[in-house]
Amino acid sequence: MRKKIIAGNWKMNKTLSEGLSLASEVVNIANDEVPADVSVVLCTPAIHLAQVSAIVKDSETVSLGAQNVSEHESGAYTGDISADMVKSVGASFVIIGHSERREYHFETNAQLAARVKLALDKGLTPIFCCGESLETREAGEHVDFVNNQLKESLFDLSAEEMSKVVIAYEPIWAIGTGITASSDQAQEMHKSIRTSLAGNFGAEVADGISILYGGSMKPDNAQELLAQPDVDGGLIGGASLKSRDFIAIAKSY
Ligand code: 13P
């Protein structure tokens, strides 16, 4: 059985006090209402992690994640955050390779491979993001493009390491646009990702990996997306900023 994961990516939103209120609301509602087999993850701005950690620490349902991590252990990297630091504040997940970071911070597949490896070595669960632009999809190259992202960032891991990675398929054209991939488009890509993982790591590993969908997921479209056989959860941006909407998605399984 694959883990069902609903992760909220707050991106660069919420002051500390706003973030703490949102986290408290999510924890309170999730503890009562989210089914026991669904894990909820809050990926907050790094500066909020330590204090949100205190809010989620007694919850069986909600855990904490960072939005990025350095590929370096420690040292003179002003403004960066190490895997040890993320771990030390009680976070257990980290988003790696979000398309916004690939675009605005020029993160490369090779750099992301190093981040995934270091995060795993430090006991964090990477949520590795992949996904194509509209141009790439319209050229019919989306499957090859995503496969190449997986190959260059993940395929040097051992099967045991890979089994600890969560993947998020986030088509760039669906992020923050209100345009969601259709359930067929999502299923097609998730299945292709799983097939590609099976080819490199074996069917058993591939069958155990949670593949999340991200891109304008909302309470009114979540159920159909989450009903697809290879969609194991969601990585939610905008709708994770409202506790009721976010929890409604987690409950729509
Ligand atoms: P939206 O849900 O706002 O489209 O964002 C998706 C996303 O990028 C999550 O990482």
Side-chain angles (χ1 to χ4, degrees):
M1 261 284 272
R2 292 193 283 274
K3 271 197 207 121
K4 299 174 176 177
I5 300 170
I6 297 293
N9 175 8
W10 292 2
K11 308 192 178 182
M12 197 177 74
N13 291 294
K14 303 288 176 189
T15 63
L16 179 61
S17 64
E18 289 165 352
L20 295 178
S21 304
L22 175 59
S24 299
E25 285 167 29
V26 168
V27 168
N28 287 338
I29 314 173
N31 286 346
D32 290 342
E33 298 183 17
V34 172
D37 62 342
V38 178
S39 299
V40 173
V41 183
L42 298 180
C43 299
T44 78
I47 201 164
H48 300 358
L49 285 170
Q51 280 177 265
V52 175
S53 179
I55 294 170
V56 305
K57 78 175 188 322
D58 294 325
S59 173
E60 305 241 314
T61 310
V62 185
S63 38
L64 187 63
Q67 296 176 10
N68 183 36
V69 73
S70 172
E71 67 271 32
H72 303 289
E73 285 246 8
S74 64
Y77 301 100
T78 301
D80 284 350
I81 293 152
S82 76
D84 279 331
M85 293 173 192
V86 170
K87 186 88 182 156
S88 73
V89 294
S92 43
F93 290 82
V94 59
I95 296 172
I96 294 179
H98 193 282
S99 59
E100 287 149 15
R101 295 211 55 92
R102 291 176 189 259
E103 182 180 351
Y104 308 136
H105 300 270
F106 311 108
E107 294 181 355
T108 64
N109 289 340
Q111 205 175 17
L112 301 175
R115 291 183 191 184
V116 169
K117 177 81 176 101
L118 188 57
L120 287 167
D121 287 349
K122 299 296 183 180
L124 294 168
T125 300
I127 302 176
F128 177 78
C129 299
C130 56
E132 80 288 353
S133 66
L134 187 58
E135 201 183 7
T136 302
R137 177 165 281 266
E138 285 179 345
E141 290 162 4
H142 48 294
V143 169
D144 286 348
F145 181 85
V146 168
N147 274 341
N148 191 56
Q149 289 181 319
L150 303 177
K151 181 170 158 255
E152 293 194 356
S153 296
L154 301 178
F155 280 10
D156 286 339
L157 296 172
S158 69
E160 198 198 334
E161 287 168 334
M162 187 63 220
S163 66
K164 296 178 183 145
V165 176
V166 171
I167 291 183
Y169 168 58
E170 299 205 307
I172 297 167
W173 46 274
I175 296 177
T177 57
I179 302 166
T180 316
S182 69
S183 50
D184 286 349
Q185 287 172 321
Q187 171 58 23
E188 179 205 35
M189 185 61 90
H190 282 227
K191 188 156 196 285
S192 142
I193 291 171
R194 204 176 305 285
T195 303
S196 171
L197 294 172
N200 201 65
F201 298 101
E204 202 181 320
V205 170
D207 282 344
I209 291 175
S210 299
I211 306 177
L212 319 184
Y213 168 80
S216 299
M217 199 188 249
K218 306 243 153 39
D220 61 3
N221 59 30
Q223 194 162 20
E224 194 185 334
L225 288 159
L226 295 170
Q228 300 307 308
D230 287 289
V231 176
D232 308 307
L235 181 56
I236 293 114
S240 74
L241 301 175
K242 291 191 183 136
S243 55
R244 272 289 160 201
D245 284 357
F246 184 52
I247 297 297
I249 294 172
K251 284 168 69 178
S252 57
Y253 252 124

